[in-house]
């Protein structure tokens, strides 16, 4: 009789899971039993349901459960069915995809846009498709994981692409890396700079005006992933580029500021909250993606019902800018009241309000206690954020009322 050979996977996976449990980093999924909204029904560990105030969703404009957004999805499903059972370029493009992509372009102030099942996919399509040997990609050190992975992947697909990282929002560091690239004989092609628009852990924003100037000086292309900025930043919620007067078609636009070359963004946060991502920019770029982008050539489209919901969500953002104003008023009120209760909230112009508590275990126990008090806020610690800067991350929504904010502050005071 032969015995089966030991398989390394089993033991090492058990060890990893055990060490995550022991260090308090194991993620337990929270089960929701109602739609995403200011108040959600959550299944608690005792198996019972409890209504909790949600301050950790990216549902910035309260569109995730907006009746018109839901209805648009239902109508799309009835009219077009589940999907095409095909990738886009074979027989996988429905009219709602075309309509959504035109809507995103007009919302973003770009010539064109192209959608994917997620922003992760959009970003992973962008660099490996756009870059060629001799190109150089320069990335902010705090950029989102999908940007990091897209940049890691690029030289695997396109040999001879080089990459660098600059210190977070540090223009001197970026300039120094650009100069080094300029002096590098192997950098013969296009230089790219990529930054998040809104950084999700601090809630701070990229200095797009300075990045634009740097790009112009070095002949570089500027790419911005503004997933946390859409629906939030700028007077009409177009994003961080509108905040800086860089969004054509909006009142604050000044051509002297310049524009962003390409955007990636998500439809899974402020713009409806379902799922989906996009690249927006000049048509020649989206055309190249359609021809050569592996995540769209070999993978299905955004489901048509999701495309219909997202299209309606963006229509609402554009037609009802008062939602954006309500969000801004809620953010201002929450910051003021949390500060008055004696907590240190990081200053930022976004809907992300991090309260620094220092120790990771403290952040986790505070968020557990808040949940017992009926307030759902996530604590982030090391290694997601630097050691000693563990925090509670409060995310505001236009769906919150002043009473919700007061209940949040009361619960914080209980701690
Ligand atoms: C949330 C986020 C993503 C992921 O978006 P998905 O559409 O869920 O893949 C990508 N980039 C940034 C900057 C994000 O904040």
């Amino acid at each position: 009789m032969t015995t089966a050979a030991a398989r390394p996977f089993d033991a090492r996976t058990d060890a990893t899971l055990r060490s995550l449990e022991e260090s308090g980093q194991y993620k337990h999924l929270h089960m929701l039993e109602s739609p995403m909204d200011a108040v959600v029904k959550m299944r608690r560990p005792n198996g019972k349901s409890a209504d909790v105030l949600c301050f950790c969703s990216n549902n910035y404009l309260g569109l995730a459960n907006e009746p018109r957004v839901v209805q648009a999805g239902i109508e799309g499903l009835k009219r077009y069915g589940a999907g095409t059972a095909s990738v886009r370029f074979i027989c996988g493009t429905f009219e709602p995809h075309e309509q959504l992509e035109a809507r995103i372009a007009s919302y973003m102030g770009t010539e064109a846009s192209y959608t994917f099942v997620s922003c992760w996919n959009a970003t992973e399509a962008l660099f490996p498709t756009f870059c060629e040997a001799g190109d150089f990609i320069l990335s902010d050190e705090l950029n989102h994981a999908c940007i990091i992975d897209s940049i890691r992947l690029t030289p695997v697909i396109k040999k001879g692409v080089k990459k660098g990282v600059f210190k977070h929002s540090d223009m001197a560091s970026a300039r120094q890396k650009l100069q080094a690239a300029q002096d590098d004989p192997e950098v013969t092609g296009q230089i790219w700079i990529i930054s998040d628009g809104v950084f999700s852990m601090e809630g701070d924003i990229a200095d797009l005006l300075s990045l634009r100037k740097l790009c112009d000086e070095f002949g570089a292309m500027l790419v911005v992933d503004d997933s946390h900025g859409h629906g939030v930043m700028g007077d009409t919620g177009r994003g961080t580029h509108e905040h800086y007067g860089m969004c054509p078609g909006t009142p604050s636009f000044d051509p002297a500021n310049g524009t962003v070359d390409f955007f990636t963004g998500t439809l899974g946060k402020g713009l409806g909250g379902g799922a989906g991502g996009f690249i927006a920019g000049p048509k020649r770029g989206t055309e190249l993606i359609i021809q050569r982008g592996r995540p769209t050539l070999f993978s299905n489209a955004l489901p048509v019902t999701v495309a219909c919901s997202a299209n309606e969500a963006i229509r609402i953002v554009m037609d009802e800018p008062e939602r954006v104003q309500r969000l801004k008023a809620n953010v201002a009120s929450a910051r003021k009241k949390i500060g008055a209760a004696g907590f240190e909230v990081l200053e930022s112009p976004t809907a992300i309000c991090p309260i620094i508590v220092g120790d990771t275990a403290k952040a986790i126990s505070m968020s557990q206690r808040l949940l017992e008090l009926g307030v759902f806020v996530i604590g982030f610690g090391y290694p997601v954020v630097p050691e000693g800067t563990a925090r509670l991350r409060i995310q505001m929504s236009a769906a919150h009322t002043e009473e919700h904010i007061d209940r949040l502050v009361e619960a914080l005071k209980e701690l």
Side-chain angles (χ1 to χ4, degrees), residues 118-120 144 146 196 200 225 227-228 266-269 276-277:
S118 68
C119 181
W120 189 290
H144 188 266
C146 71
D196 280 22
S200 64
D225 179 344
S227 290
H228 281 281
T266 186
L267 304 169
K269 291 184 173 129

Side-chain angles (χ1 to χ4, degrees), residues 123-137 149-163 186-190 192 285 287-295 297-298:
T123 309
E124 201 162 287
L126 194 144
F127 289 112
T129 307
F130 285 175
C131 291
E132 297 296 344
D135 281 13
F136 175 72
I137 314 170
D149 282 15
S150 174
I151 294 173
R152 285 177 177 158
L153 181 65
T154 303
V156 177
I157 293 182
K158 300 274 184 69
K159 298 220 171 356
V161 173
K162 300 191 85 172
K163 54 199 185 177
E186 287 175 16
V187 177
T188 53
Q190 180 64 55
W192 304 83
E287 290 284 319
L288 187 63
I289 293 287
I290 296 169
Q291 306 311 312
R292 292 275 172 82
R294 293 168 68 83
L297 287 175
F298 301 105

Side-chain angles (χ1 to χ4, degrees), residues 61-91:
L61 296 178
L63 291 171
N65 190 32
E66 216 286 336
R68 291 168 291 173
V69 173
V70 176
Q71 192 57 34
I74 291 169
E75 277 161 24
L77 183 62
K78 282 189 176 155
R79 181 150 172 204
Y80 297 97
T84 60
S86 168
V87 298
R88 290 286 294 268
F89 88 93
I90 297 180
C91 53

